[in-house]
Amino acid sequence: MMDLGGVIPNRPIKKESWKTVLTLAYQSLGVVYGDLSTSPLYVYKSAFAEDIHHSDTNEEVYGVLSFVFWTLTLMPLLKYVFIVLRADDNGEGGTFALYSLLCRHARLCSLPNCQLADEELSEYKRDGVSSNSKSFLKSTLEKHKVLQRLLLVLALIGTCMVIGDGVLTPAISVFSAVSGLELSMAKEQHRYVEVPAACAILIFLFALQHYGTNRVGFLFAPVVITWLLCISAIGVYNICHWNPHVYQALSPCYMYKFLKKTQKKGWMSLGGILLCITGSEAMYADLGHFSQLSIKIAFTFVVYPSLTLAYMGQAAYLSKHHINETDYRIGFYVSVPEQIRWPVLVIAILAAVVGSQAIITGTFSIIKQCSALGCFPKIKIIHTSSKIHGQIYIPQINWTLMLLCLAVTIGFQDTKRMGNASGLAVITVMLVTTCLMSLVIVLCWHKSVFLAVLFIFFFGSIEALFFSASLMKFLEGAWVPIALALIFSLIMYVWHYGTLKKYEFDVQNKVSINWLLALGPTLGIARVRGIGLIRTELVSGIPAIFSHFVTNLPAFHQVVVFLCIKSVPVPHVSPEERFLVGRVGPKGYRLYRCIARYGYRDVHKDDIEFEKDLVCSIAEFIRSEQPEHVLGTNNMENDEKMTVIGTSSSNIQGVAMCEDSDDHEDSSEIVCSKSPEKPRRRVRFVVPESPRIDTEAREELRELMDARESGMAFILGHSYVRAKKGSNLMKRIVINYGYDFLRRNSREPTYALSIPHASTLEVGMVCLV
């Protein structure tokens, strides 16, 4: 379930001890490098799938090894470890983190309800965003909406390819791991065992997701470390036993000889070679769980040397065993000594499961980010751990990924086509990262355009070479990530477009403040005890739904709160800055606006906690409402003054947690429940006889207390979005069919699911956009 509440921060510690760094580096081996470490299972088999025959000079084997070594060196080590990891979004990484970073620095916001007050968040200031800094690139992006849309589409493409990788990586990893069975049975029989075994492991893997990785997470690092030690030892054995001079293949000249000799087949084999860097993006995407230094240490001193030894060992073995008749026996297991083949098979399967688990969890995380930033429909999100940040489970996505994984495994039944598909997804994500990083270098790091061009030219050229080789295999499996990316991109863009148009309709049809003032404090109807909570996307003005209630109902609540739950383009919002609270109209109207702000990586608490925090924030606003305390922004239409209020757990001044007591005669009390299982506690807003709090404020607090005791009613607007007359055909299809289908199948607001039906009032409205 997607809950509403606070955040469990898990940011990198700025001054870390070496013990902390090494502990994080150890943990990152299991979470970050599971996918990358299992790539030796299928790289050589995919590279030699183009009928490349071995010659006595071994130029083909040495050429592949040279490509693998320099690809590992230039992409994960040079690009990610030394450059991309520095572009963190306040400790967070990934495609959407880069996009969020650019949005803040170039003042581009995909969210329609952005406010100037959001730029006062500590996350903005800590990032060093300067509103005064101007550059030609920045002003160009801010002026042209087309460029902003292209930037959003680029981020969505990269995100969708990561989701596609979440389908392909478990399939190829598990299938390659169980392919070791082919050496212990006849060629005609092993296919009938491999596919069912791979499917059974995949079903078991996805079925365990709802338990959360925290239940089995302690096994991840030991499994990956055992696997890395295993392939390193096998690599050293093969080098010493078969070809001690294989290190000569690390020379770049062997890449030229390989392409010169194999020509088109060698160029197309690059699509298999690039699989050696699959999982590299996880170093950046999982940055929020660890620290830059820990990830750098783990890769530089453990993963990189282990993979290099493993690939050199395989090349040493193949250089002495020329197998030209078929690719059947070219793979990882053929280079494993026969005496230890079965133990290695077991370790490989466990490592493949760990690597698949990491990419599945990463897919859940990126779907949550997209949903928070308004680019994906609201879906059910379950937090599987109350202590470990980012461990979530999304049932619909989990079972969708499982079905797609099984379809790929059963449909392809070989690593060649799976590798072609996975390779295209991997290299596309890297290309998107390179493009976004070039903008970060100029807009965020304030470096020269020359450095950005040099970055995109150097790494972009390498990635374009791999991309072209992968694209040539479109009909041999590479169409799968493209099809998946198109489907998910279409869903995301339709949802984002429909959400934006609906917000524009709400803004255009909001009620004037003059209409409210003309009604008077009673709003022209009877005001009954209780709190009326009206959910709206508007951050200013009065939503049109409120006028419907006032004109059609004989009575309304004595306290009305316009609640806006919004996401901001930062990873986290601290509890001290959670709420913006202000008044709508004069004091006597008892109308409040409360804006709850969340970052795209925030972990949410339960609804009861949120309800308590909401009421406490309004009470604290009333208590502290003095001219010198009112900070915030002016909304142009209503001239509302918004005050930053923290959650009740972070708000110490004026709020005390205490047990039931009737000792304080001159105080206002609001009963809040911590959780359904725990006994009810009282949050007491102490109102002492002090000149700082006048009689009017004390009376208003008592009214709020009475209203809270009488109960809270939730007023939900059910909007039916339709394209207005005169709209073009494409817009009518997107709004009337695409967005409407997604809206009807998306999750309702969280509080609508957990509150009693007797406390809910739902009204339908037709929005013509």
Side-chain angles (χ1 to χ4, degrees):
M1 61 182 222
M2 193 176 85
D3 310 305
L4 299 173
V7 59
I8 304 172
N10 187 24
R11 305 185 184 109
I13 303 169
K14 296 207 172 177
K15 292 185 179 179
E16 296 170 320
S17 65
W18 278 107
K19 181 180 178 181
T20 304
V21 171
L22 293 178
T23 301
L24 289 174
Y26 167 78
Q27 293 172 346
S28 70
L29 289 171
V31 177
V32 177
Y33 297 110
D35 185 14
L36 185 61
S37 65
T38 55
S39 56
L41 287 170
Y42 44 80
V43 168
Y44 277 96
K45 193 168 187 176
S46 299
F48 286 102
E50 300 299 329
D51 297 327
I52 297 176
H53 299 288
H54 298 182
S55 62
D56 294 335
T57 59
N58 285 320
E59 288 182 346
E60 297 83 6
V61 175
Y62 289 170
V64 171
L65 175 59
S66 185
F67 264 109
V68 168
F69 172 76
W70 286 106
T71 304
L72 269 176
T73 303
L74 294 176
M75 303 307 293
L77 186 62
L78 181 60
K79 177 185 172 182
Y80 280 93
V81 170
F82 290 105
I83 301 176
V84 176
L85 284 179
R86 295 177 55 207
D88 65 298
D89 184 13
N90 292 317
E92 299 294 337
T95 305
F96 254 93
L98 277 178
Y99 178 69
S100 171
L101 203 60
L102 290 170
C103 284
R104 295 206 305 278
H105 282 267
R107 306 191 84 144
L108 314 173
C109 190
S110 62
L111 301 167
N113 52 3
C114 292
Q115 297 172 280
L116 288 175
D118 298 337
E119 298 183 13
E120 298 299 318
L121 290 168
S122 57
E123 293 281 327
Y124 268 83
K125 295 179 179 178
R126 196 171 57 154
D127 195 38
V129 179
S130 174
S131 58
N132 298 324
S133 60
K134 288 290 181 182
S135 67
F136 174 76
L137 182 59
K138 178 180 177 181
S139 58
T140 303
L141 282 173
E142 290 175 354
K143 288 178 183 177
H144 297 87
K145 294 290 184 183
V146 175
L147 295 178
Q148 296 177 21
R149 291 195 188 98
L150 285 175
L151 194 63
L152 175 63
V153 169
L154 187 66
L156 291 181
I157 290 173
T159 301
C160 292
M161 281 296 182
V162 172
I163 298 172
D165 198 24
V167 173
L168 298 166
T169 293
I172 189 173
S173 296
V174 172
F175 189 84
S176 299
V178 300
S179 66
L181 297 171
E182 67 186 9
L183 299 178
S184 59
M185 59 184 67
K187 179 181 177 182
E188 295 76 16
Q189 298 175 348
H190 80 268
R191 188 175 301 276
Y192 298 103
V193 177
E194 279 182 330
V195 176
C199 290
I201 293 173
L202 287 171
I203 293 173
F204 178 74
L205 173 64
F206 284 99
L208 287 179
Q209 292 302 309
H210 72 280
Y211 290 109
T213 56
N214 59 308
R215 303 288 178 88
V216 291
F218 66 95
L219 290 174
F220 284 5
V223 167
V224 174
I225 289 174
T226 304
W227 169 249
L228 289 173
L229 290 175
C230 178
I231 61 176
S232 301
I234 294 172
V236 171
Y237 168 80
N238 285 329
I239 292 170
C240 297
H241 189 265
W242 297 112
N243 190 353
H245 301 288
V246 73
Y247 67 88
Q248 297 174 356
L250 302 183
S251 171
C253 66
Y254 281 96
M255 292 190 288
Y256 171 74
K257 293 180 180 179
F258 173 74
L259 291 177
K260 182 180 179 181
K261 187 170 185 178
T262 56
Q263 297 182 357
K264 184 180 178 180
K265 289 182 179 179
W267 171 58
M268 292 187 68
S269 71
L270 295 179
I273 292 172
L274 74 87
L275 293 177
C276 69
I277 54 176
T278 180
S280 299
E281 188 72 20
M283 286 193 290
Y284 184 51
D286 291 331
L287 185 59
H289 303 289
F290 305 98
S291 65
Q292 288 187 29
L293 186 58
S294 64
I295 290 179
K296 290 178 179 179
I297 289 174
F299 181 80
T300 307
F301 295 103
V302 180
V303 179
Y304 179 70
S306 299
L307 291 177
T308 302
L309 289 173
Y311 288 120
M312 289 177 65
Q314 288 188 62
Y317 179 88
L318 292 175
S319 67
K320 300 299 181 182
H321 298 79
H322 296 178
I323 306 170
N324 294 318
E325 63 273 9
T326 176
D327 69 345
Y328 165 55
R329 295 180 64 85
I330 297 180
F332 169 76
Y333 290 104
V334 74
S335 64
V336 178
E338 190 173 352
Q339 295 85 350
I340 61 171
R341 198 165 283 166
W342 280 103
V344 170
L345 174 66
V346 174
I347 298 172
I349 292 175
L350 290 175
V353 169
V354 170
S356 302
Q357 175 64 59
I359 193 67
I360 292 168
T361 304
T363 304
F364 293 159
S365 179
I366 204 163
I367 290 287
K368 179 180 180 292
Q369 292 180 32
C370 293
S371 181
L373 292 176
C375 294
F376 201 84
K378 303 297 181 184
I379 49 179
K380 183 179 182 180
I381 298 176
I382 299 173
H383 295 279
T384 57
S385 174
S386 60
K387 297 180 180 179
I388 304 176
H389 167 68
Q391 291 193 357
I392 59 175
Y393 169 64
I394 307 177
Q396 297 95 324
I397 300 298
N398 181 66
W399 301 122
T400 302
L401 289 178
M402 187 192 76
L403 292 176
L404 291 173
C405 274
L406 293 176
V408 168
T409 304
I410 297 172
F412 287 160
Q413 298 189 13
D414 66 74
T415 55
K416 177 182 177 181
R417 287 181 290 179
M418 290 184 194
N420 295 340
S422 181
L424 185 61
V426 168
I427 201 63
T428 304
V429 175
M430 290 190 169
L431 269 172
V432 170
T433 301
T434 300
C435 295
L436 295 179
M437 268 301 302
S438 63
L439 295 175
V440 168
I441 290 172
V442 177
L443 296 175
C444 306
W445 293 353
H446 306 295
K447 302 297 182 181
S448 66
V449 178
F450 174 75
L451 283 177
V453 172
L454 188 64
F455 177 85
I456 197 172
F457 177 78
F458 180 75
F459 291 107
S461 300
I462 299 172
E463 291 160 357
L465 180 65
F466 285 116
F467 182 78
S468 62
S470 297
L471 205 57
M472 288 296 294
K473 302 177 181 179
F474 180 82
L475 297 178
E476 300 177 34
W479 59 270
V480 172
I482 295 178
L484 291 174
L486 285 175
I487 293 171
F488 280 102
S489 296
L490 185 64
I491 291 173
M492 290 181 177
Y493 197 80
V494 167
W495 181 261
H496 178 74
Y497 178 78
T499 303
L500 192 64
K501 289 299 178 183
K502 180 183 177 299
Y503 183 80
E504 290 175 356
F505 174 86
D506 291 340
V507 171
Q508 293 168 2
N509 291 272
K510 61 184 179 182
V511 180
S512 169
I513 189 67
N514 295 326
W515 171 84
L516 182 70
L517 295 174
L519 295 177
T522 63
L523 303 179
I525 55 177
R527 302 290 291 271
V528 297
R529 289 178 61 180
I531 298 178
L533 190 66
I534 300 177
R535 172 75 156 86
T536 176
E537 298 296 330
L538 296 175
V539 294
S540 65
I542 303 168
I545 191 174
F546 182 65
S547 65
H548 285 261
F549 291 125
V550 173
T551 54
N552 292 286
L553 296 177
F556 211 72
H557 302 88
Q558 71 181 95
V559 175
V560 178
V561 180
F562 297 108
L563 173 64
C564 174
I565 301 173
K566 58 178 282 189
S567 294
V568 290
V570 294
H572 303 285
V573 176
S574 65
E576 293 79 10
E577 301 172 308
R578 175 75 62 219
F579 293 105
L580 279 174
V581 184
R583 294 187 184 277
V584 179
K587 280 189 177 183
Y589 284 60
R590 300 296 190 256
L591 302 179
Y592 306 95
R593 183 182 310 284
C594 188
I595 301 172
R597 302 179 292 183
Y598 294 91
Y600 59 82
R601 291 296 297 269
D602 275 347
V603 178
H604 301 291
K605 295 187 296 188
D606 58 67
D607 305 317
I608 297 175
E609 280 291 292
F610 176 76
E611 182 182 316
K612 182 199 74 174
D613 286 340
L614 176 66
V615 177
C616 291
S617 67
I618 296 172
E620 176 61 18
F621 166 75
I622 296 170
R623 191 199 67 81
S624 63
E625 190 180 24
Q626 302 292 335
E628 64 269 21
H629 292 295
V630 179
L631 306 174
T633 60
N634 292 333
N635 290 318
M636 297 301 293
E637 180 181 326
N638 296 11
D639 196 30
E640 299 172 12
K641 300 255 185 167
M642 305 297 292
T643 304
V644 178
I645 302 290
T647 60
S648 61
S649 58
S650 67
N651 201 356
I652 306 300
Q653 265 192 331
V655 181
M657 297 292 295
C658 63
E659 301 295 339
D660 268 329
S661 175
D662 298 319
D663 297 339
H664 295 78
E665 182 181 345
D666 201 8
S667 64
S668 299
E669 298 173 351
I670 297 178
V671 178
C672 300
S673 179
K674 204 64 170 149
S675 67
E677 295 80 19
K678 294 183 180 180
R680 294 167 68 86
R681 296 167 62 90
R682 291 183 184 271
V683 178
R684 185 187 304 281
F685 298 92
V686 180
V687 189
E689 293 291 347
S690 169
R692 293 192 305 112
I693 302 179
D694 56 19
T695 306
E696 188 178 4
R698 189 177 295 108
E699 182 61 30
E700 191 173 358
L701 280 172
R702 286 199 180 95
E703 284 191 30
L704 182 64
M705 180 261 305
D706 293 339
R708 176 65 185 89
E709 290 296 326
S710 299
M712 184 178 291
F714 295 79
I715 294 91
L716 309 177
H718 195 78
S719 300
Y720 298 89
V721 183
R722 294 289 183 270
K724 57 187 175 184
K725 292 183 179 180
S727 301
N728 58 56
L729 178 63
M730 182 61 69
K731 183 177 180 180
R732 292 202 303 270
I733 293 175
V734 168
I735 296 296
N736 295 349
Y737 298 100
Y739 181 74
D740 182 66
F741 174 80
L742 293 176
R743 184 196 57 78
R744 284 188 286 107
N745 290 277
S746 65
R747 187 170 174 81
E748 293 293 328
T750 310
Y751 52 78
L753 298 173
S754 59
I755 60 176
H757 292 290
S759 303
T760 308
L761 182 60
E762 188 172 356
V763 173
M765 290 184 63
V766 177
C767 303
L768 298 176
V769 300

